[in-house]
Amino acid sequence: MSGASEMTHAWPADSWLPRPTPPPATRGLRLLVAGLTGQVGQGLLEACAALGEDAPEIVALVRRRPRAAHLMGPAVVRQLVGEVTAPGWGLTETDLERLGEIDAVLNLAGATDWTASHALLDKVNVLGAVNGLEVAQGLSARLGRTVPYLSASSVFVAGLSDGSVVEDLLSPDTDRTPYELSKWTSERALIARARRTGHPVLVARVGGVVGNSATGRTTRRSSLYQLVSRREEDSALRVLPAQRGARVDTLPRDVIGESLLRLVGHGRGDGFAGWRSGVIAQVAAGERAPTLAALLAQLEGMDAGSRYHVPRLVPASRGVLQTVTRVGTRYVRWSRQAGNRLHGLRYVTVNRVFERGRFAALTGGWLPAVPLETTLRITFDLAEQRPAAPVADLPLGRFQ
């Protein structure tokens, strides 16, 4: 399996071959970050650990109590107890004095249980994001210089939209789930405030997240894992409705962490001018995302039928997917697992590509890329196949 340090490369538009690139220009930066205990936050810490001395210093906003230092990693130099849903993230005047210099504020906190209540999703995903921008603006006034703000959103604000998904605000759609709607609302609120004030704000739409690219370590299972059942399960999905050409857009969490650091590091070079008045960039596999059919076929080959039941794909229209995933969750009370499984259909069964042009422009041309085999090993805990031992040369037999 490839490690995070092996992922630090760009993919030129005219080539499939990776070439090494310098690490993110984050050395010497000091970041205030919320949400470090979540999947994306853990990925950021793993990316920082891989950078070593080139990593930024991180001041962590944590809920309720500080965490043990070894759980947070070497990049975390201070922890402050706060709450993203509270005004100013709950930071006191004493906390702000102890902060010292801060170069950017990152909000990676979010409610990601797709079956959670509207109230909880809006409170964390909308209010938490807006409060984070107010923190960045308050620090700007206190420090006498602009402190940029990055807030993590989700590519799944697109709902069931197919085709190309642009890096811009998306139109209203009554089909969005409460989770998707909370992310959509937070994006509009942040961009509106950024346009009104001119503050540098970057909304990072993150695609599907799987575990660490080297260790497979994860805080939760992806939507893809929930749709492919183990053979011993009674509730195995035998068929999977999907659009023809549906793509599965996922990245390992440490690669997403590196992507965020590259956005900050490159933005630093021009004083975050590219973030002024609010921009959206999609942290995703984009045009490199594999099709669902190819992914399942390779999974079946790698697993050889020993652990997983790979469902058969059934062609389905957008309307069918809407009925199955949205109407089913509106009128039937499901368990949390079943509800998340239904929601997960929306994120792996649609034929679409998340554009990455702005992301590339904001990282100096760098784009994340991960082999499909690595993604499958991480997602499904598959052992890495060792190459066959070379066979010693044997003398040729003589035919008589």
Side-chain angles (χ1 to χ4, degrees):
M1 242 183 263
S2 299
S5 60
E6 297 175 73
M7 297 293 179
T8 56
H9 54 257
W11 287 81
D14 60 349
S15 172
W16 285 89
L17 297 176
R19 64 185 183 196
T21 57
T26 53
R27 187 170 188 168
L29 289 180
R30 187 177 171 93
L31 311 176
L32 172 62
V33 186
L36 285 172
T37 58
Q39 186 83 310
V40 174
Q42 287 293 294
L44 184 80
L45 292 178
E46 289 163 353
C48 287
L51 285 176
E53 294 182 350
D54 290 318
E57 289 187 351
I58 291 179
V59 178
L61 184 86
V62 295
R63 296 182 66 198
R64 300 190 184 95
R65 57 178 175 75
R67 273 43 172 195
H70 72 277
L71 297 177
M72 299 301 284
V76 176
V77 297
R78 184 182 296 277
Q79 298 184 51
L80 295 175
V81 177
E83 171 58 61
V84 296
T85 63
W89 279 357
L91 296 175
T92 66
E93 186 65 27
T94 301
D95 292 331
L96 294 173
E97 290 176 358
R98 293 172 58 199
L99 268 179
E101 292 292 320
I102 293 294
D103 297 296
V105 176
L106 279 64
N107 174 36
L108 309 182
T112 56
D113 178 2
W114 302 324
T115 64
S117 68
H118 289 241
L120 176 63
L121 290 165
D122 287 346
K123 186 177 181 182
V124 178
N125 295 344
V126 180
L127 192 58
V130 172
N131 288 341
L133 177 53
E134 293 175 353
V135 169
Q137 291 174 323
L139 288 173
S140 299
R142 175 181 288 267
L143 297 173
R145 56 177 175 78
T146 302
V147 177
Y149 179 59
L150 183 152
S151 186
S153 183
S154 170
V155 297
F156 303 126
V157 295
L160 286 176
S161 297
D162 50 17
S164 293
V165 180
V166 299
E167 293 173 291
D168 206 344
L169 291 174
L170 302 176
S171 301
D173 190 336
T174 56
D175 175 58
R176 287 189 174 91
T177 66
Y179 168 75
E180 295 161 3
L181 185 60
S182 71
K183 290 294 189 179
W184 181 85
T185 303
S186 70
E187 288 188 4
R188 299 188 80 84
L190 291 177
I191 297 299
R193 283 164 171 76
R195 289 175 178 174
R196 187 170 62 247
T197 63
H199 199 87
V201 173
L202 190 151
V203 174
R205 277 190 193 144
V206 177
V209 187
V210 295
N212 179 275
S213 62
T215 66
R217 185 173 299 160
T218 185
T219 59
R220 60 175 297 174
R221 293 295 187 181
S222 68
S223 55
L224 176 62
Y225 181 87
Q226 296 177 46
L227 297 175
V228 177
S229 307
R230 288 182 176 271
R231 289 199 168 270
E232 64 268 19
E233 292 182 19
D234 296 329
S235 58
L237 289 174
R238 301 299 175 183
V239 295
L240 191 61
Q243 288 185 334
R244 295 186 185 276
R247 291 174 179 265
V248 181
D249 197 307
T250 60
L251 290 172
R253 69 186 194 181
D254 55 311
V255 176
I256 291 172
E258 179 184 350
S259 300
L260 299 178
L261 291 177
R262 288 188 177 276
L263 287 167
V264 174
H266 187 75
R268 174 193 199 181
D270 63 359
F272 297 94
W275 299 20
R276 292 283 175 183
S277 300
V279 294
I280 296 173
Q282 292 179 157
V283 184
E287 70 286 354
R288 305 296 192 197
T291 64
L292 177 60
L295 185 148
L296 292 179
Q298 184 152 343
L299 170 62
E300 196 164 29
M302 293 170 63
D303 180 52
S306 62
R307 295 174 62 186
Y308 295 100
H309 175 82
V310 178
R312 179 172 60 88
L313 292 182
V314 177
S317 66
R318 183 179 186 273
V320 169
L321 294 177
Q322 180 179 357
T323 300
V324 171
T325 65
R326 196 72 184 96
V327 177
T329 56
R330 280 178 176 166
Y331 302 112
V332 179
R333 183 178 294 277
W334 302 90
S335 67
R336 181 179 178 184
Q337 179 183 12
N340 277 314
R341 211 176 231 191
L342 270 178
H343 281 93
L345 278 173
R346 301 169 67 88
Y347 308 141
V348 298
T349 58
V350 181
N351 182 7
R352 58 186 167 195
V353 173
F354 297 104
E355 296 182 358
R356 304 192 294 173
R358 181 173 291 129
F359 175 89
L362 294 174
T363 59
W366 183 89
L367 289 171
V370 179
L372 174 56
E373 182 176 326
T374 298
T375 299
L376 290 173
R377 294 198 188 287
I378 296 167
T379 305
F380 297 102
D381 298 325
L382 298 174
E384 187 167 8
Q385 294 179 347
R386 298 183 180 277
V391 178
D393 291 336
L394 299 176
L396 295 175
R398 178 177 296 176
F399 292 93
Q400 307 217 357

